[in-house]
Amino acid sequence: MDGENHSVVSEFVFLGLSNSWEIQLVLFVFSSMLYVASMMGNSLIILTVTSDPHLQSPVYFLLANLSFIDLGVSSVTTPKMIYDIFRKRKVISFGGCIAQIFFIHIIGGMEMVLLTVMAFDRYVAICKPLHYLTIMSPQMCIFFLLSAWMIGLIHPVIQLAFVVNLPFCGPNVLDSFYCNLPQLIELACTDTYWLEFMVTANSGFITVGSFFILIISYIVIILTVQKHSSAGFSKAVSTLSAHITVVVLFFGPLIFFYMWPSSSTHLDKFLAIFDGVLTPFLNPVIYTFRNQDMKVAMWRVCRQLVSYPKIS
């Protein structure tokens, strides 16, 4: 059989979240509401930042791009999960599975880089306010954004380059509601121990490393401000609280997943729902909750949207 294509599997079967009708109903309502809310909230942030001349600063440019990424986070797995909840046979094609993994990792990589850039933005704004607009120039913001796209693209390409040529010749059941890369590798009809180790170590190192860089940067900001002004310290903590909350919500489930890869399947599913459904909904809420300028601008855009049909 040398030279033949051993990958005869054309689709993968998901076991889903639960076989209980009551739990399925709760998950359907919960996921649908959060999905619609996250899509509307993040879209409103993008529309507000792009249309309001008072929000043309680097921090809002980065926030709008984070909302754009969160639209992707919501759309990669959640619609398919909602569609499959009541279906007895939950399937995805081989190509669809590879595409889903690709977009999960490219979006995740982009968000990690963007959160790091937002931490740098806050460092410059708080510790070097007189040089803020010089350092965070439009050209630098575009450079950071392109870097996020490039790093996000390279990460899944490297990992999937080893996966697409694996022989899948029989088992095709994934105990999940989306294409989980480690579980997919386990289905290959060959010894994949080192590949599983490489994929987990690669993603885990990037995740944990990015998280610690962010936490250290926030500690440096707080300590720097504390040395200069006690009043500035409380203001810095208030400003950074939203950023730190988003970082913990995003990285927490990922770190747990990669640090304890042998944890229970039910816990993995819960963390996946948390990261893919709940976090994109919470991000716009957290970033706008204490930002008066953003709330006023969003309210202004909402009034314009409501009054537009009346004018036309």
Side-chain angles (χ1 to χ4, degrees), residues 14-205:
F14 295 141
L15 293 184
L17 295 166
S18 174
N19 292 322
S20 168
W21 189 88
E22 290 81 5
I23 295 177
Q24 289 176 346
L25 181 61
V26 172
L27 287 170
F28 178 80
V29 174
F30 173 79
S31 301
S32 299
M33 290 176 61
L34 288 182
Y35 174 69
V36 172
S38 66
M39 295 296 286
M40 292 178 62
N42 285 297
S43 297
L44 181 59
I45 286 179
I46 296 172
L47 180 61
T48 302
V49 172
T50 54
S51 62
D52 196 307
H54 300 96
L55 301 180
Q56 304 306 307
S57 64
V59 64
Y60 294 115
F61 172 80
L62 297 174
L63 177 58
N65 279 278
L66 180 65
S67 292
F68 178 76
I69 293 174
D70 279 336
L71 290 177
V73 173
S74 298
S75 302
V76 173
T77 59
T78 306
K80 172 69 174 168
M81 180 194 73
I82 295 172
Y83 175 75
D84 282 342
I85 283 180
F86 295 115
R87 292 171 63 88
K88 291 185 178 180
R89 181 172 168 81
K90 307 170 178 62
V91 298
I92 187 171
S93 66
F94 183 89
C97 187
I98 296 298
Q100 194 177 67
I101 292 173
F102 175 79
F103 285 110
I104 287 173
H105 283 261
I106 189 175
I107 290 171
M110 286 174 59
E111 185 151 359
M112 287 184 194
V113 176
L114 195 59
L115 288 173
T116 305
V117 173
M118 293 178 77
F120 176 74
D121 172 81
R122 290 301 84 201
Y123 168 77
V124 176
I126 294 173
C127 300
K128 300 179 182 295
L130 297 179
H131 304 284
Y132 177 66
L133 293 178
T134 303
I135 297 174
M136 295 300 295
S137 63
Q139 294 82 2
M140 185 59 68
C141 289
I142 296 297
F143 170 77
F144 283 140
L145 183 60
L146 292 176
S147 299
W149 276 93
M150 289 301 298
I151 294 173
L153 181 63
I154 292 171
H155 172 62
V157 168
I158 292 175
Q159 294 204 329
L160 287 177
F162 296 97
V163 176
V164 291
N165 292 320
L166 286 175
F168 295 95
C169 52
N172 68 335
V173 178
L174 295 168
D175 190 5
S176 182
F177 62 90
Y178 71 103
C179 282
N180 184 326
L181 182 56
Q183 283 193 32
L184 179 68
I185 294 174
E186 289 178 1
L187 296 180
C189 302
T190 185
D191 183 13
T192 58
Y193 173 79
W194 288 110
L195 180 57
E196 289 179 54
F197 176 79
M198 185 273 291
V199 167
T200 304
N202 176 263
S203 297
F205 176 77

